[in-house]
Amino acid sequence: MKVVALVSGGKDSCYAMMKCVQYGHQIVALANLMPVDDAVDELDSYMYQTVGHQIIVSYAKCMGIPLFRKRIQGSTRHQKLSYKMTPGDEVEDMYELLKEVKKKIPSIEAVSSGAIASDYQRLRVESVCSRLGLVSLAYLWKQDQSMLLQEMIDNGILAITVKVAAMGLNPEKHLGKDISFLYSYLHKLKELYGINVCGEGGEYETLTLDCPLFVHARIVLEEFQVILHSSDSIAPVGILHPLAFHLETKAESVSVGGCDKMNDLHHENTGLVYEVQAENSEGCVDAKESVADVTVLTKAADDGLQISTKKEDLAFSVSCWLGASESSGLQDDLKGVLRKIEAELSGHNLDWRNVLYVHLYISDMNEFAVANDTYVKFITQEKCPSGVPSRSTVELPLPHVGLGKAYIEVLVTKNEEKRVLHVQSISCWAPSCIGPYSQNVLYMAGQLGLYPPTMTLTKGGAVAELELALQNSEAVAKSFNCSISTSSVLLVVYCSESIPSSERGKIQDKLEAFLKQIRSSSTKEGKLSKVLDHLSLYVLVPDLPKRALVEVKPLLYNVDDAETITEGKSLTRTGNQSFQHEGWHDTCINRCIVNGTICALVMSVTNETAVRLCSEFLSANRKSEDIQNLISERQMDRISRFCVYLLDKILAENSFFWEEIVSLRVYYPVSLHIPLDALSLLFKNALEELAEMHRQPIFNIIPVLGAGSSTTMDDLITCELFAQRT
C-alpha cells in the first residue's frame, strides 16, 4: 500500500516507517502537526510530541518525499478513551491534515504511526483513518519495549533525547544523548524504578537525526539550549531547544549536493513542504445507516425475528433472517435484518452499544466484501463509543433451508460495564481484532490464521492456519490477563468443507497439542493458574472469509480462583416424562461448570443415539450409513424432546435455571432436508413443555454442513449452551 507516515521526529514514528517498508509498503508522504507559534517547543497535548518540531522540516529533504504540516489549533476536549468526532479537539487537526494529504495524493491507502502501548493515541488514529477510508498501520503496537529499543539501534536509527522527565534522568546530563549511549542506563532505571525503556510513560522523548530511510542526507545538530521546566530534585523535567543544525549529504545520494546549511530554523524547502491551513470541521459528520431512515420493514423480517430474554433482563439474544421468497440480494437482505434488530434494540431502550457479539451468517462468501462494507457502515464506532461488538463471519447453506442471503444473531447485555479491546490497526501483535469483555467473560472475535503484519493467510494448510489462529487468540487473551490454555470455556472451530477429510483429524490433534504446550510453558515459568476443562466444538461450513480453512472462536472466563467442577447442588424440577435416565445418556453431553457461575454444555446426537431413541423405526437400519435420510419429522420431534430433556437435566443437576441461559444454538446438517422453520417449531414445542418455562424459549437454529465435538462433524443434532449466573 501507499502510505503517509505520521512523524513527530521521535524514534518510534521513524522505526514504524521502516517496518512499513519491511512489509512491502511504500512511504509516499510525511505528515506532521506543530505548534501555532514556532518559538514554542512543547504543547500541553495528550496526542502529539512537538519538542524538536523546528527540525522536522528537514525530513522532506532527507527522504526526498513531500512533508505536509499543520499547526495545532485544537485542544484536548474529548478525554474519554474512545474518541468520537469533537469540534475543537486536537484530533480534528490530524483529520484535516490527513484529509488534505489524501486530496493531494489520492492513491494513499494507509497511515503509519508509532504507537506502542497507548490505547488513547491508537484509538484516535484509527478513528481518523476510519473516517477517511484509510488503513491504520501500527507495527510497533504491543511489542516488547526492550526488544524494540535494541532493534532500533541495530537497524541504524540515530536518535537523541530532547526531553527527560523521569527519576534518574537529569536534563543537564542526559539531554542530547544518543539512545544507543543510554540503552544500558535506561534498563538500569527500569530495574530500579520501573520506567518504560522506550519512554512510553513520558519518561523521555527523542528526535531522529538519521535512519536508513534518510537516503539523501542526515541531520547534524550544531547547537542547542537546555531549558529546565521543573527543577524537582527527584524527577527534574527539561527539554532540548535546537539553535542551529545543518544537513549533511550522504555519499550515495545524487539528489542533494553539498552541505545544506540551515542555521535559519524557519527555512523551508518549498518544493517538498506544504503547510495545511485550518478548516472548519463542524460539518465533518460521517454517513451512517440509521433506523430513522427506515419507513417500511418487510413482513418476512418480522417472521424471522427471534428474541429471548434472561432472568433479571440482564442479557438476551436476538436473531433475524429473511425468507428465500422475500430475498432481494445480500446487501438489501443484510440492511433489512440490521434495521429490524436495531428497531428491536430500540424497543428495549438499547442500541448497538449494548451488543457484545454478532454472528454474521451469509449465503455466499464471494460476496463478503459487500457484506462487510454494508455491516461496517451500519455498526460504526460513533454508534459504539466504547467499542464495536465482536464478530464472527461464516458462510452457511441458507438457501437449502428456505432462508435468504443473510442471517444475524446478536448477544446483547444491559450491563454497561463492559471493556472492549478493538484494534483496527494492522500490527505485528495480532490481526485487527475485537474482544468485548463483560462480567469476566471474554467474547473474542473469530480468529483466522492470518500473519498479523500483512494480514495474509499463512501457507501450509488447515493445521498451519489453526496454529496461527490460536497464537493470535492467545495474544488477545493476554491483553485481558488470561490464556486460551487455562481460561477457555468453549472453543468453536469452524472448518471449511475445502479441507480434505483425511486432514480433519489433524485439526483436533493440533488444537489439544497447542493448548498443552502453552500450559507446559506457563508451568515452567511459574505462571500457570487453575485450568478450566474446556469444551471443543467443530462446525463444518461451506466457506470462510479470505478462503480460510479454519476460524477459531474462543469464549473465555477469567477469574483468578476459578475451579472446574462437574456437579453442584441439584435442583428438583418436573422435566419431560417421556424419558427415563439411562447410563448412555451421559455419553451424549460434555460440560464445563465453573464455580456455579458458568455452565457450558455441548450435546451431540449421533446416528447411534438416533437409533436408540427411535428404535422402533430405525433399528432395522442400524447398519445403514444413510440414517439422515431416514429421519422423518416424527423422529426429529422425539430427538428434539430428548435434547431438551437432557439439557434440562444437566442444568438442574448444577443448580442452573433456563432463565440464566445466555445462548443456545442448535446446529443441524442440511442433509437432513428439514426446513429451518419446521425444526425451529419442534424445539419450540419441546421447550414449552417444561413446567419451568414462563417466557419465550432461548434458542437459535443454525443450518450447517456438519457439526460435533470431534472433527468427524457427523452429528444429527449438536446443541451448544452457555449460561451465566450474575
Side-chain angles (χ1 to χ4, degrees):
M1 291 186 289
K2 292 186 176 180
V3 178
V4 53
L6 288 169
V7 290
S8 63
K11 65 187 187 320
D12 302 339
S13 58
C14 286
Y15 192 55
M17 285 194 290
M18 293 175 62
K19 299 297 284 187
C20 286
V21 174
Q22 177 185 335
Y23 292 117
H25 305 298
Q26 180 185 3
I27 308 295
V28 297
L30 306 173
N32 169 253
L33 289 130
M34 58 182 178
V36 172
D37 186 348
D38 287 334
V40 172
D41 288 290
E42 186 176 33
L43 297 179
D44 183 17
S45 169
Y46 289 7
M47 276 294 295
Y48 310 120
Q49 171 187 323
T50 57
V51 180
H53 69 86
Q54 300 92 339
I55 291 179
I56 304 302
V57 68
S58 301
Y59 280 26
K61 259 194 173 180
C62 290
M63 294 182 65
I65 58 176
L67 167 66
F68 293 81
R69 308 189 80 188
K70 184 182 183 304
R71 299 185 185 276
I72 302 168
Q73 305 288 333
S75 58
T76 305
R77 295 194 179 185
H78 188 93
Q79 297 185 11
K80 293 183 179 179
L81 181 60
S82 294
Y83 181 76
K84 66 178 181 180
M85 196 279 286
T86 304
D89 193 279
E90 61 185 350
V91 175
E92 297 308 308
D93 290 303
M94 186 202 306
Y95 173 83
E96 291 176 13
L97 173 62
L98 293 177
K99 181 181 177 182
E100 183 65 20
V101 176
K102 188 178 179 183
K103 179 180 177 182
K104 296 290 187 183
I105 311 176
S107 60
I108 281 179
E109 303 165 84
V111 176
S112 167
S113 67
I116 297 176
S118 172
D119 281 308
Y120 183 92
Q121 293 175 349
R122 174 184 59 80
L123 287 167
R124 279 151 177 75
V125 174
E126 290 178 350
S127 174
V128 169
C129 287
S130 177
R131 290 161 61 186
L132 292 171
L134 298 171
V135 176
S136 172
L137 303 177
Y139 285 121
L140 310 190
W141 178 249
K142 284 197 175 293
Q143 297 301 291
D144 178 82
Q145 292 189 39
S146 294
M147 178 192 72
L148 272 181
L149 189 59
Q150 186 64 62
E151 284 183 6
M152 293 176 192
I153 295 169
D154 292 344
N155 284 282
I157 286 188
L158 172 62
I160 62 170
T161 50
V162 291
K163 179 182 177 179
V164 294
M167 293 177 65
L169 290 176
N170 187 300
E172 295 293 341
K173 290 174 58 178
H174 298 120
L175 280 174
K177 296 296 188 291
D178 183 0
I179 55 172
S180 61
F181 175 81
L182 293 174
Y183 179 83
S184 297
Y185 186 63
L186 290 171
H187 280 81
K188 181 180 178 180
L189 295 183
K190 177 186 176 183
E191 294 177 5
L192 289 173
Y193 309 122
I195 74 161
N196 296 278
V197 294
C198 276
E200 278 299 285
E203 294 89 347
Y204 69 94
E205 293 177 0
T206 61
L207 179 68
T208 301
L209 301 180
D210 193 15
C211 77
L213 297 184
F214 288 10
V215 293
H216 298 294
R218 63 180 59 87
I219 300 167
V220 178
L221 181 62
E222 298 179 47
E223 186 180 354
F224 64 85
Q225 175 187 4
V226 172
I227 299 176
L228 198 64
H229 280 189
S230 169
S231 57
D232 185 270
S233 59
I234 298 176
V237 178
I239 64 169
L240 180 153
H241 176 75
L243 296 175
F245 71 96
H246 69 267
L247 294 186
E248 187 175 88
T249 302
K250 293 190 174 181
E252 64 274 22
S253 173
V254 296
S255 298
V256 182
C259 183
D260 186 7
K261 193 78 173 179
M262 294 187 66
N263 285 323
D264 180 0
L265 294 178
H266 297 285
H267 171 81
E268 292 186 355
N269 181 343
T270 56
L272 288 175
V273 179
Y274 306 90
E275 182 166 332
V276 176
Q277 301 303 315
E279 292 182 3
N280 184 354
S281 61
E282 297 286 341
C284 296
V285 180
D286 303 309
K288 333 178 181 66
E289 294 283 352
S290 172
V291 70
D293 299 328
V294 184
T295 55
V296 179
L297 294 170
T298 64
K299 182 180 184 298
D302 290 322
D303 294 340
L305 185 69
Q306 299 286 327
I307 307 162
S308 54
T309 56
K310 183 188 169 199
K311 187 178 181 181
E312 299 176 357
D313 290 332
L314 283 178
F316 63 91
S317 61
V318 178
S319 62
C320 188
W321 60 84
L322 293 175
S325 62
E326 300 293 332
S327 176
S328 57
L330 177 60
Q331 187 176 51
D332 289 341
D333 284 10
L334 187 53
K335 284 183 178 180
V337 169
L338 287 167
R339 286 166 176 166
K340 184 58 183 175
I341 291 176
E342 187 170 74
E344 187 61 37
L345 292 173
S346 180
H348 289 265
N349 295 318
L350 302 172
D351 53 36
W352 292 107
R353 288 176 295 183
N354 301 93
V355 175
L356 287 172
Y357 207 101
V358 177
H359 288 87
L360 174 58
Y361 307 124
I362 59 177
S363 62
D364 185 355
M365 198 55 71
N366 288 319
E367 295 189 88
F368 173 77
V370 174
N372 189 61
D373 185 61
T374 304
Y375 179 92
V376 298
K377 286 181 178 178
F378 202 100
I379 303 178
T380 63
Q381 189 72 34
E382 286 69 29
K383 289 183 179 181
C384 309
S386 62
V388 297
S390 291
R391 189 182 85 185
S392 175
T393 305
V394 299
E395 178 182 323
L396 293 183
L398 301 178
H400 291 73
V401 293
L403 300 187
K405 296 182 179 297
Y407 176 170
I408 288 184
E409 176 191 351
V410 301
L411 176 64
V412 187
T413 178
K414 292 187 177 180
N415 184 343
E416 296 186 1
E417 295 181 1
K418 70 173 183 176
R419 185 160 63 96
V420 179
L421 174 67
H422 181 199
V423 180
Q424 299 179 57
S425 301
I426 294 177
S427 68
C428 297
W429 168 67
S432 306
C433 68
I434 310 169
Y437 183 84
S438 177
Q439 296 180 312
N440 289 346
V441 177
L442 174 59
Y443 300 90
M444 197 183 300
Q447 296 289 326
L448 303 178
L450 296 172
Y451 180 51
T454 60
M455 292 296 284
T456 55
L457 282 172
T458 188
K459 297 179 180 179
V463 173
E465 285 187 28
L466 176 66
E467 182 172 19
L468 188 50
L470 291 170
Q471 290 175 7
N472 295 335
S473 299
E474 180 68 3
V476 177
K478 284 182 176 179
S479 296
F480 292 91
N481 299 315
C482 58
S483 167
I484 60 171
S485 68
T486 57
S487 303
S488 291
V489 173
L490 176 65
L491 289 168
V492 178
V493 182
Y494 294 108
C495 301
S496 168
E497 67 172 332
S498 299
I499 304 173
S501 300
S502 59
E503 295 292 312
R504 292 175 187 172
K506 298 177 183 179
I507 293 174
Q508 187 171 352
D509 294 340
K510 170 55 72 173
L511 174 62
E512 298 306 323
F514 183 90
L515 298 178
K516 183 178 180 180
Q517 179 183 0
I518 297 180
R519 285 195 290 267
S520 176
S521 299
S522 298
T523 301
K524 291 178 182 178
E525 296 173 4
K527 298 179 181 179
L528 186 66
S529 59
K530 294 177 180 178
V531 181
L532 301 185
D533 188 13
H534 77 276
L535 306 178
S536 297
L537 173 62
Y538 301 89
V539 182
L540 188 64
V541 298
D543 205 357
L544 294 166
K546 294 181 177 286
R547 295 290 183 263
L549 296 176
V550 294
E551 178 177 333
V552 178
K553 187 185 70 172
L555 177 68
L556 281 66
Y557 182 71
N558 184 19
V559 59
D560 292 339
D561 60 351
E563 296 180 2
T564 304
I565 58 175
T566 55
E567 58 184 59
K569 183 178 179 181
S570 180
L571 295 173
T572 301
R573 291 214 286 257
T574 303
N576 193 315
Q577 301 301 309
S578 302
F579 301 94
Q580 295 296 320
H581 181 70
E582 298 183 43
W584 63 268
H585 289 180
D586 294 332
T587 65
C588 298
I589 200 159
N590 295 316
R591 70 199 78 180
C592 177
I593 315 294
V594 187
N595 284 351
T597 301
I598 295 293
C599 175
L601 307 174
V602 173
M603 178 181 175
S604 296
V605 177
T606 63
N607 287 352
E608 183 65 25
T609 306
V611 169
R612 288 176 181 265
L613 292 173
C614 309
S615 56
E616 72 283 358
F617 175 76
L618 296 177
S619 57
N621 301 283
R622 180 181 294 269
K623 297 182 181 180
S624 172
E625 296 181 357
D626 200 22
I627 290 289
Q628 293 184 2
N629 289 331
L630 300 174
I631 298 291
S632 67
E633 188 170 318
R634 179 180 176 185
Q635 280 81 49
M636 188 53 69
D637 178 61
R638 181 165 175 77
I639 290 171
S640 62
R641 293 175 190 277
F642 174 71
C643 290
V644 172
Y645 152 75
L646 191 54
L647 292 174
D648 182 62
K649 179 177 180 296
I650 302 301
L651 286 171
E653 287 176 353
N654 293 280
S655 305
F656 281 89
F657 295 90
W658 283 90
E659 287 83 355
E660 293 167 325
I661 293 177
V662 175
S663 63
L664 169 58
R665 296 182 187 90
V666 179
Y667 301 91
Y668 80 105
V670 293
S671 56
L672 286 176
H673 304 295
I674 298 175
L676 185 142
D677 56 356
L679 186 59
S680 181
L681 182 60
L682 293 177
F683 270 88
K684 183 174 184 291
N685 292 337
L687 284 162
E688 287 180 344
E689 285 187 2
L690 293 177
E692 284 77 14
M693 299 297 288
H694 299 298
R695 52 162 178 73
Q696 291 178 315
I698 301 173
F699 69 94
N700 288 299
I701 306 292
I702 313 295
V704 294
L705 299 181
S709 55
S710 72
T711 47
T712 57
M713 295 177 281
D714 57 0
D715 290 358
L716 292 179
I717 293 290
T718 308
C719 299
E720 172 203 336
L721 182 150
F722 178 68
Q724 182 177 15
R725 177 168 297 142
T726 56

